[in-house]
Amino acid sequence: MNSLIQWNLNGFYSKIIDLKLLVNNLKPSIICLQETNLKTNHNATVNNYQGYFKERQTNPNRASGGVAILVKNNIKSSPIPINSELEVIATRIQLHHEITICNIYLPDSIIFSYQQITNIIKQLPSPYILVGDFNSRNTNWGCNHTDPRGKIIEKIIDDENITLLNNGTFTRHNSSKGTFSAIDLSLASPSISPYLSWEVKTDYFNSDHWPILIKIHHRNSLQTPYNTNKWNLRNPNWTLYSDIIDKTMSENQILNNELNKDDIDTIVKQFTSIITEAAHKSIGKTIIHPKKTPVPWWSKDCNNAIKNYKKALNRYKKTKTIPDHINLKKAKALSRRIIKHQKAESWKKLINDLTPNTPIKEAWKKIRLIEGIKFNDTPQTLSKGDKTYFSSLEKAEALAEIFEKNSSDENYSPEFRNSKSKNETDNPITFSKEENHPINLPINVQELYDALYKCNLKNSTGHDEIPYIFIKQLPINAISILLKIYNLIWEKRTFPSSWKIAIIIPILKPNKDRHEVTSYRPISLICTLSKLLEKIVSKRLYWTLKQTNFISDQQF
């Protein structure tokens, strides 16, 4: 599910703290801002978002008005030119299907016509979502009265068969007059409106307008869960883990008898299952929630201040009395003061903690806290030429096709391939067939432990979900059985089918378009049991090739 935030924040930089909080908490895919108050040709940025801006042109030296659309980097987007003298901007985005997002600001100081608004709507490719601060009052969407501007918008909604998403909730609080209104409107074409939900977020109050959250529910699509299950390695019971494996493996007849190469898949499956089942009983799994962009200065005092403000707001909405309005203004001012103070104190502490003796790793961690984390989210669409892929299966197939093509010998010229083949034929690598030659000896336990010692315990696992730490904690009899499996593979020239399966992760190449299939390179996550054997064999091969002078001294 994607979401859109619309908000008249009344000053991009003056409300940047609230904007970052909003992004951190709600994680919107699209943000539509009104009254950005940026000077002409000024480039404002928000981490992880592509920005489209239109500044007010009447006075280039004065920062006022203006609109912006921010789209997450993992969503392909492009600007749509709108021919209008009004403050309006539009983009075309690709989710599970293409949607047009249009953002408009109609200040009280300008007079607009029916034709001007309908002219904008006619330029928007369907389906579209049109949001903004219309400064138009009408009892149909929650205002206390209807003005001429509201009548124009009402007629446009009826004539153009547009859906109004507002549900009558107030979107603005004029604290000086103590009045509420609903002048921030959300409109949508009929084809997409059934898949949209609308909600005012009163938690963010530093502007006289509240942000509006629009959730976009995709048609006929399964939602990908963001939470993942991982081994809970904070407090593992390694003694219980080892005891369970020791007992289970000693009772397993297949693993304790002489191993047969024809049973290699069964052998590896049972060995793997014993480890994972023991881990479930002694370690367990925990749900890993998606990390939020850290806001190092946020505290419980900030949360309590916002709660008190919301209580005062709800009370004033019910009573509309002067004392409750005064209390609301006090709660709002106190909240601002607490948040501002908390941020200042946090920055001071963050900077004061940095000394000449601070480790580099810790210093960079604090710098990233200040800058905010840049996330490389998976693109919601991928393109190759004129074709666009929307579903996960389509994107996976497209990436697999390009990875296969990039790894093919067909990328080399016929001359190079012929030369390579001839060179390999004329200069073959021959290994000794003597049983006592070091490369032909059975793998011993010292080689296994040496390779295991050099493994990075933080490396990702393959599809069997066995990390290196599980192998390190195996009891002696399990290590002996693992050694038997490795020697069966090494001596009988067999290999488990499950170890041939890899999880392929596409990695974006530097400075490449994340929405293009050709912008990615693959890395493979294979089973750690397989990688451990590869490390043992690799060390033997390297030693042998060095001894036979097949590797040059200049080879890195």
Side-chain angles (χ1 to χ4, degrees):
M1 181 182 66
N2 296 94
S3 62
L4 179 151
I5 285 287
Q6 68 174 96
W7 187 26
N8 182 329
L9 76 173
N10 194 15
F12 183 90
Y13 286 112
S14 63
K15 305 298 188 305
I16 191 65
I17 295 175
D18 299 84
L19 182 58
K20 288 182 178 180
L21 278 175
L22 183 147
V23 170
N24 175 64
N25 295 333
L26 301 180
K27 295 182 172 54
S29 306
I30 309 109
I31 306 172
C32 295
L33 303 174
Q34 302 90 43
E35 281 200 272
T36 51
N37 296 345
L38 298 173
K39 290 184 178 180
T40 305
N41 298 323
H42 178 80
N43 293 322
T45 59
V46 174
N47 277 352
N48 308 311
Y49 286 84
Q50 168 70 44
Y52 302 92
F53 295 85
K54 183 175 182 179
E55 296 81 21
R56 184 172 288 176
Q57 303 295 323
T58 52
N59 187 351
N61 296 320
R62 182 171 178 268
S64 63
V67 289
I69 297 178
L70 308 174
V71 184
K72 283 198 79 172
N73 287 338
N74 69 322
I75 298 174
K76 190 172 184 179
S77 60
S78 58
I80 297 176
I82 300 293
N83 183 21
S84 175
E85 59 273 25
L86 301 176
E87 293 179 44
V88 60
I89 191 171
T91 61
R92 190 72 167 164
I93 64 171
Q94 288 187 344
L95 300 178
H96 283 69
H97 51 280
E98 289 191 313
I99 301 176
T100 300
I101 306 296
C102 184
N103 184 20
I104 190 169
Y105 175 51
L106 302 174
D108 273 325
S109 57
I110 70 149
I111 300 174
F112 63 85
S113 66
Y114 176 96
Q115 288 75 21
Q116 285 177 306
I117 304 300
T118 54
N119 176 55
I120 292 172
I121 292 172
K122 285 178 170 57
Q123 297 179 62
L124 302 178
S126 290
Y128 61 80
I129 301 174
L130 170 59
V131 300
D133 179 1
F134 286 74
N135 277 296
S136 305
R137 293 158 181 83
N138 194 304
T139 55
N140 285 343
W141 47 80
C143 295
N144 296 321
H145 68 283
T146 299
D147 62 15
R149 295 163 66 105
K151 290 180 180 178
I152 292 175
I153 300 300
E154 181 184 1
K155 181 172 173 53
I156 292 171
I157 290 173
D158 292 338
D159 293 349
E160 297 294 330
N161 190 28
I162 301 173
T163 302
L164 174 68
L165 301 179
N166 293 56
N167 58 15
T169 306
F170 295 130
T171 65
R172 180 176 182 264
H173 173 218
N174 186 329
S175 58
S176 60
K177 295 181 179 179
T179 58
F180 296 96
S181 58
I183 56 178
D184 304 279
L185 303 182
S186 309
L187 311 174
S189 53
S191 62
I192 194 176
S193 59
Y195 307 98
L196 305 176
S197 59
W198 190 91
E199 178 187 3
V200 177
K201 307 297 290 186
T202 56
D203 307 62
Y204 309 89
F205 47 77
N206 276 347
S207 170
D208 54 345
H209 297 254
W210 290 301
I212 296 168
L213 174 65
I214 301 173
K215 293 181 180 179
I216 306 171
H217 306 270
H218 302 300
R219 289 171 283 189
N220 303 323
S221 65
L222 295 173
Q223 298 303 314
T224 303
Y226 288 100
N227 299 334
T228 56
N229 293 323
K230 290 191 176 181
W231 296 112
N232 187 10
L233 294 172
R234 290 188 176 181
N235 296 298
N237 189 336
W238 292 122
T239 302
L240 178 60
Y241 168 82
S242 180
D243 289 345
I244 293 173
I245 292 177
D246 188 52
K247 182 177 183 299
T248 310
M249 287 202 177
S250 63
E251 295 173 351
N252 189 293
Q253 294 184 356
I254 294 179
L255 296 180
N256 285 283
N257 292 336
E258 185 177 350
L259 303 183
N260 190 324
K261 75 170 187 176
D262 295 331
D263 300 327
I264 187 62
D265 288 335
T266 302
I267 292 167
V268 169
K269 184 178 179 180
Q270 291 199 16
F271 186 85
T272 302
S273 296
I274 290 172
I275 294 176
T276 53
E277 287 173 12
H280 277 293
K281 293 176 182 178
S282 59
I283 299 169
K285 286 192 171 185
T286 183
I287 297 176
I288 305 297
H289 298 280
K291 292 181 180 179
K292 293 183 178 180
T293 307
V295 184
W297 46 267
W298 196 256
S299 68
K300 289 183 179 179
D301 291 339
C302 298
N303 282 329
N304 292 333
I306 289 178
K307 287 180 181 178
N308 292 333
Y309 162 77
K310 292 182 74 173
K311 285 181 181 178
L313 173 63
N314 291 333
R315 181 168 180 79
Y316 178 64
K317 282 182 178 180
K318 293 176 181 177
T319 65
K320 298 291 179 64
T321 63
I322 292 176
D324 284 338
H325 184 229
I326 293 173
N327 289 334
L328 173 60
K329 293 175 74 172
K330 285 181 178 179
K332 185 175 183 179
L334 181 61
S335 298
R336 287 178 173 175
R337 186 161 63 249
I338 288 174
I339 292 173
K340 186 176 181 180
H341 173 77
Q342 190 64 36
K343 183 187 176 187
E345 289 302 311
S346 179
W347 289 146
K348 287 179 185 178
K349 184 178 185 305
L350 202 64
I351 298 303
N352 289 337
D353 287 345
L354 290 175
T355 68
N357 298 323
T358 302
I360 293 296
K361 184 177 180 180
E362 187 65 25
W364 276 110
K365 184 179 179 180
K366 292 182 181 294
I367 291 171
R368 291 189 184 98
L369 277 176
I370 297 172
E371 291 182 340
I373 295 174
K374 294 184 178 181
F375 293 99
N376 291 320
D377 292 331
T378 304
Q380 299 202 12
T381 60
L382 284 175
S383 299
K384 182 183 176 185
D386 297 330
K387 191 168 184 180
T388 301
Y389 306 96
F390 295 94
S391 72
S392 297
L393 181 60
E394 287 177 333
K395 289 185 284 187
E397 292 289 352
L399 287 167
E401 183 180 336
I402 201 71
F403 292 160
E404 180 186 24
K405 183 179 178 182
N406 290 344
S407 303
S408 172
D409 285 348
E410 297 301 318
N411 293 314
Y412 301 107
S413 66
E415 293 79 9
F416 176 83
R417 294 201 301 269
N418 291 335
S419 174
K420 178 175 177 291
S421 177
K422 184 176 185 303
N423 190 34
E424 290 172 350
T425 304
D426 295 343
N427 302 284
I429 299 176
T430 56
F431 294 100
S432 173
K433 295 182 180 180
E434 296 178 11
E435 290 187 6
N436 292 328
H437 191 277
I439 200 170
N440 296 324
L441 292 174
I443 298 170
N444 60 58
V445 71
Q446 188 60 50
E447 286 181 290
L448 193 155
Y449 277 123
D450 286 345
L452 188 57
Y453 176 77
K454 295 178 182 178
C455 292
N456 186 345
L457 300 183
K458 294 182 179 180
N459 278 4
S460 299
T461 64
H463 64 88
D464 62 357
E465 298 185 290
I466 296 178
Y468 283 122
I469 187 66
F470 283 12
I471 306 175
K472 270 198 169 185
Q473 297 294 334
L474 288 176
I476 296 297
N477 74 326
I479 290 291
S480 299
I481 292 172
L482 178 59
L483 198 60
K484 283 170 58 179
I485 294 172
Y486 282 171
N487 279 310
L488 177 68
I489 294 170
W490 182 241
E491 295 172 0
K492 302 299 182 181
R493 302 180 184 182
T494 185
F495 202 77
S497 301
S498 60
W499 289 3
K500 298 177 183 178
I501 299 172
I503 299 172
I504 307 299
I505 307 294
I507 303 296
L508 182 65
K509 299 174 184 176
N511 304 317
K512 294 292 184 178
D513 183 356
R514 67 177 57 246
H515 301 287
E516 289 292 328
V517 176
T518 54
S519 299
Y520 292 85
R521 62 178 179 84
I523 63 170
S524 301
L525 303 182
I526 61 177
C527 300
T528 51
L529 292 170
S530 175
K531 285 197 287 186
L532 184 59
L533 176 60
E534 287 183 13
K535 291 178 185 294
I536 297 170
V537 174
S538 175
K539 185 176 181 180
R540 283 195 176 192
L541 288 175
Y542 182 79
W543 181 87
T544 302
L545 293 174
K546 284 286 288 182
Q547 293 296 314
T548 53
N549 295 320
F550 268 94
I551 297 180
S552 169
D553 292 335
Q554 281 74 43
Q555 177 72 44
F556 289 101

